[in-house]
Amino acid sequence: MTELSRFQKDVEVAANALEMRAENEDAKTEAEHLYRKFGSTKQEPLRLAVALRGYFLAEEVTEEEREDYGAYLKKRIRPAVERLILEDDWEKIEKLYENEWFGERELEGFLKLAEEWRKPAALMGLLHLKKENYGFKEKKFEL
């Protein structure tokens, strides 16, 4: 298994801290806190963790805030999807793909990571995306 980058480890720590804090806040307070943090922090791992959490909050996030989070995530799609692979969160990966923020080349890289990191939900979802959108060009599969 490939060693996680220091950046991804820092994102994980930030994501865990945000999750723990959210347990003590209502959704509106959390959304306000996240957006304030997103606008003020210069730490990229924290900013990525905040953007991912804020983008996928179901309620209390304004359309403008969601667009700001989305614009940030689109520019940093690789580390964002890597984070979601580590969380084995296929549904969120699929939503980012539906935004057309990454294509076949990136998908191939994400498939390799999901396999290497042994994340079954992400792997199966990414394989489904590949089959539906690009097909399998390889002629020979080995088990």
Side-chain angles (χ1 to χ4, degrees):
M1 186 184 218
T2 300
E3 188 75 21
L4 290 180
S5 70
R6 181 179 175 95
F7 179 81
Q8 280 297 349
K9 288 179 183 176
D10 290 346
V11 173
E12 182 175 17
V13 168
N16 290 339
L18 291 171
E19 190 174 318
M20 286 180 7
R21 181 182 176 136
E23 292 174 0
N24 300 321
E25 296 178 324
D26 60 54
K28 184 172 177 45
T29 304
E30 180 186 9
E32 291 169 356
H33 169 256
L34 286 174
Y35 196 67
R36 207 171 34 252
K37 181 64 75 179
F38 179 74
S40 66
T41 188
K42 302 291 184 215
Q43 299 174 17
E44 284 302 312
L46 177 57
R47 196 166 170 141
L48 179 64
V50 168
L52 280 169
R53 186 156 184 91
Y55 186 79
F56 291 108
L57 277 179
E59 300 173 6
E60 306 299 339
V61 175
T62 68
E63 192 58 38
E64 178 185 344
E65 292 170 348
R66 195 173 311 281
E67 287 176 12
D68 288 347
Y69 291 139
Y72 176 84
L73 292 172
K74 183 177 180 180
K75 291 181 203 172
R76 290 153 186 86
I77 196 62
R78 183 167 182 80
V81 174
E82 286 177 358
R83 178 72 218 142
L84 296 174
I85 290 170
L86 287 168
E87 293 175 6
D88 209 17
D89 195 334
W90 159 242
E91 290 82 15
K92 290 179 182 176
I93 296 169
E94 183 177 36
K95 287 180 183 173
L96 296 182
Y97 180 79
E98 288 170 356
N99 291 335
E100 299 180 356
W101 291 352
F102 64 93
E104 184 176 13
R105 191 179 87 229
E106 295 87 0
L107 180 62
E108 291 294 333
F110 298 146
L111 273 165
K112 289 177 184 170
L113 286 177
E115 179 182 18
E116 191 174 308
W117 291 340
R118 300 181 193 276
K119 301 299 180 179
L123 180 60
M124 294 306 295
L126 290 165
L127 284 169
H128 176 73
L129 271 184
K130 180 176 178 174
K131 178 184 173 195
E132 290 295 312
N133 296 287
Y134 308 107
F136 292 97
K137 297 171 181 89
E138 299 86 9
K139 294 181 180 178
K140 185 177 178 182
F141 291 97
E142 293 182 25
L143 297 178

